[in-house]
Amino acid sequence: AASLDVLVQRHTVLRTNFYSGWKDEPLQVVYRNKRSELYVEDLRDMEQERQNEYILEYTRKDKQRGFDLAQDALMRVAVLRTGEDAYRFVWSFHHIVMDGWCLSLVTGEVFASYFAILA
């Protein structure tokens, strides 16, 4: 959570929402402080097949949820623990704030912060 918050504080676009209906013009609002959206769940008590089904269903619901540009965090991360040293990440973001090309840069930055915080 702390490493994601570092990312959000470094990049204003991740603290941004977009409102429509202000004088019939879209309005971009950048917050000074906004936390990342992180969900963590431990699935180790499930059998492998059930874990896979659960992750597929979680991912389907996450896609279906979409993003409310006016109020949602426009990037969210879910960490699903599947084993003692195994995790599955569901990293969702709206294309208005970033695209697939920068995902490796963003994840690299998050993990660099994560390991720095651990150290």
Side-chain angles (χ1 to χ4, degrees):
S3 60
L4 283 171
D5 286 340
V6 167
L7 179 78
V8 170
Q9 283 307 117
R10 275 184 40 84
H11 300 283
T12 57
V13 71
L14 299 176
R15 298 191 315 272
T16 300
N17 285 103
F18 300 89
Y19 298 94
S20 56
W22 183 78
K23 298 184 180 181
D24 296 324
E25 294 287 329
L27 178 66
Q28 178 180 356
V29 176
V30 178
Y31 295 92
R32 283 191 184 105
N33 296 302
K34 192 169 188 177
R35 300 213 49 195
S36 60
E37 184 174 328
L38 174 65
Y39 176 76
V40 178
E41 187 172 358
D42 190 340
L43 307 180
R44 289 179 292 173
D45 62 340
M46 294 181 189
E47 294 180 18
Q48 179 77 40
E49 185 176 329
R50 177 67 186 116
Q51 281 182 359
N52 292 335
E53 291 169 0
Y54 184 89
I55 292 167
L56 284 173
E57 181 64 12
Y58 183 93
T59 303
R60 185 191 67 75
K61 286 180 180 177
D62 185 70
K63 285 180 185 178
Q64 188 177 37
R65 175 181 166 191
F67 293 91
D68 180 338
L69 294 176
Q71 64 183 13
D72 288 349
L74 301 181
M75 181 187 76
R76 58 183 176 255
V77 176
V79 179
L80 307 173
R81 188 170 188 184
T82 57
E84 287 306 311
D85 295 317
Y87 300 84
R88 295 287 295 271
F89 285 77
V90 180
W91 200 305
S92 305
F93 54 90
H94 194 284
H95 191 70
I96 202 168
V97 295
M98 64 184 203
D99 60 19
W101 288 100
C102 67
L103 185 58
S104 64
L105 299 172
V106 170
T107 56
E109 188 173 329
V110 167
F111 283 105
S113 294
Y114 176 79
F115 290 117
I117 291 167
L118 283 179

